[in-house]
Amino acid sequence: MTPKTWTESDRLAALESYAILDTPLEPEFDDIARLAAEVLEAPIAVVNLIASGRQWFKAEIGIGARELPLDVSICAHAILQHDTMVVTDTREDARFVENPLVTVDDGLRFYAGALLKTPEGLPLGTVCVLDRTPRPGGITPRQQLALELLARQVMTQLELRKTVALYAARAREIETEVRGRQDAQDAQAISEARYRSLFNSIDAGFCIIEMAFDAEGVARDYRFMEVNDAFARQTGLTDAVGKWMRQLAPDHEQHWFDLYGRVATTGEPIRFENAAQALDDRWYDVHAFRMGPAGAGHVAVLFNDITDRRRSELQLRELNETLDRRVEEAVAEQARAEEALRQSQKMEAIGQLTGGIAHDFNNMLGVVIGGLDLLQRRLQRGDTDVGRYIDGAMEGAERAAALTQRLLAFSRQQPLAPAAIDSNRLIADMSEMLTRTLGETVTVETVLTEGLWKAKADPSQLENVILNLAVNARDAMPDGGRLLIETSNVEIDAQHAADAEIESGQYVMLAVSDTGSGMTPEVMAKAFDPFFTTKPVGKGTGLGLSQVFGFVRQSGGQVRIYSEVGHGTTFKIYLPRFWGAEAPAPLRAAAQPRGGEAHEIILVVEDEQRVRHYSVEALRELGYGVIHASNGAEALEIIRRGEAIDLLFTDIVMPEMTGRQLADQAMALRPDLKVIYTTGYTRNAVVHGGVIDPGVNFLAKPFGIRQLGGLVRAVLDEDRSRP
């Protein structure tokens, strides 16, 4: 009978014939459920039968109940299938989207069930496993085979129970009829006919044996009194009636004789599973009980060949025992492959990065070296018209310094001075500059949220980011268009924060949108890569967006791109909200600082002679009085001598004594001494985690006279500018 032809009444009648419903728990079925849970690594496993109006569990792991209403049963759908049913996510399956066992918090999300089918093909229920977590990958072919083998094992148990019950019932029938007959011969004939009909109708092997004991009462052999038709199929022994077991199988193990001898002498029935090596190493599930009076030595044996099942169980056990090792090997191999891929990608990225750096630095150094070479030649000839060569060399050097800062920004190692930023005010202050920079063909609009939180970031770097994005937007709108800058407050929950690789909490969002050409998905995927650009050669370094990305990530935020070809692009920047009291804003160098005076004395401490010489000459050029030292010990000696010093300008990374150690000792001697630190290193005594320590005046190398003069003037004038 195929699954398409059965009726529900046929199925329920078949289920009733097994007399299994509402029976107590039994170890044989509990073991099957436990093995299913272990092999499929599931918290819930069930041997269940679909009865009228209910789903009843013969064995269960992780449910805590013996039955459920049929209207919430997933297995009720499984018995309608031709084969094993696997649902990777029940909330994605239309059959279960309204099932309360699925929709509740921590509901059932995964199901896999193998059918329990009668020999006629009628589905009685399933052996199934469930999980509260979906499994997009489903189950492996080995796991499916294991589940189906366990389902067959359940049916073997049910068939055996049914056979034993049928035999017992028929035997009682025969006994009743025989007892009721007056004519012993008629009764014997009826009994024999019915008994023979039963004897040969069952699929299980059946025999009645007569035990033979030695003088010490040890069972030595047994003779077959009767066998049914299935006996030969199950054992491979033919013409067994009247013959002794030692005659048919001389090597049959002694423990078989011992077991049957114990049944004959004690009258206690037994149920066991064991192997018979003399019968082709077959395994049997055996039910033996005494027949007739105690002294007759007659034993009835009902048995089933379970060799296939035992071999399957052995395979499952071996599979389970080696599963952890094979999983570990597979995970290790995958880890090795992933590491090799990461290393390959890392080397490719390093190659692209170093190639881009070499290309741009060679161009810039070419301008510097060429300009200085021409300058030297002209001066040697007495030609003083060399201004353009000096300007060219300066421009090349400044571009190289800017490239260094952009690389530091991309690598998230530029020194930052985060402060509380009013983003609305910053954008408003930049509006005029943006309008002037972008030109008349680009309309600049702003949508600024009232009550905007303060953002925590470096103000000058944030200005650079907005300017970078605005210039990119202009380049994407060669025929003009609209630039929109928006702000808003955003709450980011734990799930979205994990996806964005940031902390959950409150953020200030700045969005820069244009109506330009837009980006393809391929371009968006590489937009933040260093030296990647879609602009023509000579029109961009490819570091603008990588600098934006590096700054935002170093500030504890995130940046996202949204774009559609032909419609425009939006960059959304999320910066963490500023909490706590606002510290004084860091000093910023004046654009056009006034010069110094000779009585304003600056102590320059620098271990590199050329850099020290440049710094001393630059400060003297600006009008300051200058004293210099090559190390910390020498500088401290100058201070101890009582020299009049207004400001200490010190390198940080020096041998024997760092600039920070020098400043600490110097201020212990001169508490009113002002200090400016300088270095080319991004990780040092005054920069931690990429952030400049509060209250520290810092000038990154390389620097020009204008930058140096601006910061020195601002630090010296600090007390005058604050009330």
Side-chain angles (χ1 to χ4, degrees):
M1 182 178 293
T2 66
K4 292 184 178 180
T5 59
W6 56 266
T7 65
E8 181 65 354
S9 59
D10 291 336
R11 193 188 68 78
L12 292 174
L15 176 59
E16 191 67 28
S17 71
Y18 287 92
I20 189 68
L21 293 175
D22 301 314
T23 57
L25 296 172
E26 297 179 55
E28 293 88 346
F29 295 94
D30 292 341
D31 289 345
I32 291 173
R34 191 175 298 108
L35 185 57
E38 183 176 347
V39 171
L40 278 87
E41 299 178 353
I44 301 171
V46 178
V47 177
N48 73 93
L49 300 162
I50 305 301
S52 177
R54 61 177 176 146
Q55 174 181 0
W56 182 78
F57 306 135
K58 178 59 182 172
E60 57 85 17
I61 300 291
I63 293 291
R66 292 299 303 275
E67 66 177 55
L68 288 174
L70 209 55
D71 57 357
V72 298
S73 170
I74 298 177
C75 294
H77 295 273
I79 66 170
L80 303 178
Q81 307 302 309
H82 291 264
D83 208 341
T84 299
M85 184 175 89
V86 178
V87 183
T88 58
D89 189 347
T90 54
R91 292 186 183 175
E92 301 294 329
D93 193 311
R95 295 173 293 181
F96 311 118
V97 292
E98 296 183 358
N99 190 320
L101 299 182
V102 173
T103 57
V104 297
D105 291 341
D106 201 27
L108 302 177
R109 299 292 300 278
F110 168 78
Y111 173 92
L115 291 176
L116 301 177
K117 293 184 2 182
T118 69
E120 297 78 24
L122 290 164
L124 305 181
T126 66
V127 174
C128 67
V129 296
L130 301 102
D131 203 340
R132 303 187 189 282
T133 303
R135 299 189 184 181
I139 60 177
T140 66
R142 283 181 176 272
Q143 289 175 322
Q144 180 172 340
L145 174 62
L147 201 60
E148 291 170 353
L149 289 174
L150 293 174
R152 284 185 221 154
Q153 184 175 344
V154 170
M155 287 309 302
T156 299
Q157 293 283 349
L158 293 181
E159 288 292 331
L160 186 59
R161 290 169 60 99
K162 182 178 179 181
T163 299
V164 172
L166 178 61
Y167 174 79
R170 295 288 293 275
R172 286 193 298 273
E173 249 178 59
I174 292 170
E175 186 178 354
T176 301
E177 289 191 24
V178 169
R179 199 179 289 122
R181 296 232 179 226
Q182 296 297 322
D183 190 333
Q185 291 183 347
D186 290 346
Q188 185 176 359
I190 293 172
S191 174
E192 178 66 24
R194 294 191 178 223
Y195 175 76
R196 182 55 55 185
S197 173
L198 165 66
F199 208 47
N200 291 317
S201 65
I202 60 177
D203 292 329
F206 185 77
C207 62
I208 299 175
I209 60 177
E210 178 184 10
M211 299 302 303
F213 299 90
D214 62 13
E216 286 76 26
V218 178
R220 293 301 182 187
D221 205 348
Y222 53 80
R223 183 172 61 86
F224 292 101
M225 300 172 61
E226 294 191 52
V227 299
N228 70 346
D229 292 345
F231 177 89
R233 294 195 305 271
Q234 298 270 3
T235 64
L237 302 176
T238 58
D239 299 325
V241 176
K243 296 179 181 177
W244 294 89
M245 187 63 183
R246 295 289 191 191
Q247 177 186 357
L248 296 171
D251 297 328
H252 198 44
E253 296 95 328
Q254 178 61 35
H255 60 77
W256 289 95
F257 301 99
D258 294 337
L259 289 169
Y260 295 148
R262 192 178 308 126
V263 173
T265 55
T266 66
E268 295 179 2
I270 59 171
R271 173 79 178 272
F272 64 93
E273 292 182 4
N274 214 331
Q277 295 181 358
L279 302 180
D280 298 328
D281 206 20
R282 301 187 191 191
W283 274 83
Y284 293 99
D285 182 4
V286 182
H287 186 198
F289 51 93
R290 188 172 68 188
M291 292 190 67
H298 294 170
V299 177
V301 182
L302 182 69
F303 59 92
N304 261 303
D305 184 348
I306 59 170
T307 305
D308 290 342
R309 194 200 83 195
R310 291 291 297 200
R311 288 173 180 167
S312 298
E313 289 176 352
L314 179 61
Q315 291 175 355
L316 286 174
R317 187 160 53 250
E318 292 174 349
L319 172 66
N320 194 47
E321 290 172 352
T322 61
L323 184 61
D324 289 343
R325 176 179 57 79
R326 289 186 287 111
V327 167
E328 289 175 2
E329 291 174 354
V331 169
E333 180 61 29
Q334 183 177 358
R336 285 192 293 270
E338 290 175 351
E339 179 60 27
L341 176 61
R342 280 194 297 271
Q343 188 65 20
S344 173
Q345 292 172 335
K346 185 189 301 182
M347 295 307 297
E348 181 181 353
I350 291 173
Q352 179 182 349
L353 180 62
T354 55
I357 294 172
H359 175 270
D360 281 16
F361 261 108
N362 282 337
N363 286 340
M364 297 166 189
L365 289 174
V367 173
V368 174
I369 294 171
L372 293 175
D373 191 20
L374 289 171
L375 172 64
Q376 187 179 45
R377 288 172 177 271
R378 290 295 178 94
L379 289 176
Q380 286 174 350
R381 294 202 306 263
D383 187 351
T384 58
D385 185 17
V386 293
R388 64 182 181 277
Y389 304 123
I390 296 174
D391 291 342
M394 284 294 297
E395 181 185 355
E398 288 172 354
R399 286 175 59 199
L403 176 61
T404 302
Q405 292 303 312
R406 289 187 172 192
L407 289 171
L408 287 174
F410 164 71
S411 63
R412 310 178 206 175
Q413 300 205 16
Q414 63 178 332
L416 299 179
I421 300 177
D422 183 341
S423 302
N424 285 350
R425 181 175 179 181
L426 183 144
I427 293 168
D429 291 344
M430 291 182 67
S431 294
E432 183 178 347
M433 179 186 67
L434 290 174
T435 301
R436 188 169 59 251
T437 302
L438 302 183
E440 297 179 355
T441 61
V442 177
T443 302
V444 179
E445 299 179 8
T446 58
V447 177
L448 308 179
T449 297
E450 292 185 9
L452 187 70
W453 298 325
K454 296 288 183 69
K456 182 181 180 182
D458 187 313
S460 61
Q461 294 299 330
L462 182 57
E463 288 179 355
N464 287 338
V465 164
I466 295 172
L467 184 59
N468 248 324
L469 294 177
V471 171
N472 272 359
R474 178 200 64 192
D475 295 342
M477 300 183 291
D479 299 324
R482 183 170 71 105
L483 178 75
L484 175 63
I485 304 177
E486 303 171 85
T487 62
S488 66
N489 297 325
V490 176
E491 290 266 4
I492 298 182
D493 60 28
Q495 180 177 350
H496 289 89
D499 294 340
E501 298 179 346
I502 57 177
E503 297 290 332
S504 60
Q506 297 178 339
Y507 287 78
V508 176
M509 190 278 292
L510 288 81
V512 179
S513 305
D514 64 61
T515 57
S517 55
M519 301 184 194
T520 64
E522 294 76 17
V523 171
M524 279 197 290
K526 297 182 177 180
F528 294 127
D529 291 354
F531 298 105
F532 174 78
T533 180
T534 58
K535 298 175 183 178
V537 176
K539 296 296 184 181
T541 65
L543 280 172
L545 290 181
S546 63
Q547 182 181 6
V548 170
F549 178 81
F551 161 72
V552 175
R553 295 296 285 137
Q554 187 179 350
S555 300
Q558 187 57 277
V559 57
R560 288 286 186 257
I561 308 175
Y562 305 89
S563 186
E564 187 175 347
V565 175
H567 294 276
T569 301
T570 296
F571 286 86
K572 289 189 175 182
I573 296 171
Y574 299 88
L575 294 173
R577 179 182 181 181
F578 182 90
W579 295 94
E582 295 185 23
L587 292 176
R588 301 180 68 174
Q592 295 293 334
R594 67 182 180 86
E597 298 181 17
H599 65 83
E600 294 177 305
I601 306 300
I602 299 174
L603 173 57
V604 176
V605 186
E606 169 65 62
D607 62 316
E608 173 59 46
Q609 182 179 354
R610 292 184 181 85
V611 178
R612 183 172 70 250
H613 178 72
Y614 164 72
S615 300
V616 169
E617 292 301 320
L619 288 168
R620 285 174 178 166
E621 180 68 21
L622 291 168
Y624 295 102
V626 183
I627 306 172
H628 57 88
S630 61
N631 55 60
E634 187 179 331
L636 285 174
E637 182 60 31
I638 293 172
I639 295 172
R640 289 192 182 101
R641 289 202 306 260
E643 297 277 359
I645 300 170
D646 297 289
L647 184 143
L648 171 64
F649 180 60
T650 179
D651 186 21
I652 295 175
V653 181
M654 297 185 295
E656 298 182 5
M657 181 184 296
T658 67
R660 186 60 182 259
Q661 292 169 336
L662 167 62
D664 289 344
Q665 294 186 44
M667 286 190 288
L669 297 171
R670 296 275 303 276
D672 59 339
L673 183 65
K674 300 178 184 296
V675 181
I676 296 177
Y677 297 96
T678 183
T679 187
Y681 290 92
T682 58
R683 296 177 180 174
N684 53 60
V686 299
V687 179
H688 296 93
V691 176
I692 301 171
D693 292 347
V696 168
N697 301 310
F698 178 78
L699 182 61
K701 294 179 181 178
F703 51 81
I705 292 180
R706 180 179 300 177
Q707 295 168 291
L708 175 61
L711 186 57
V712 168
R713 188 71 267 159
V715 171
L716 290 173
D717 293 344
E718 180 181 3
D719 292 339
R720 304 172 197 168
S721 61
R722 291 182 178 172

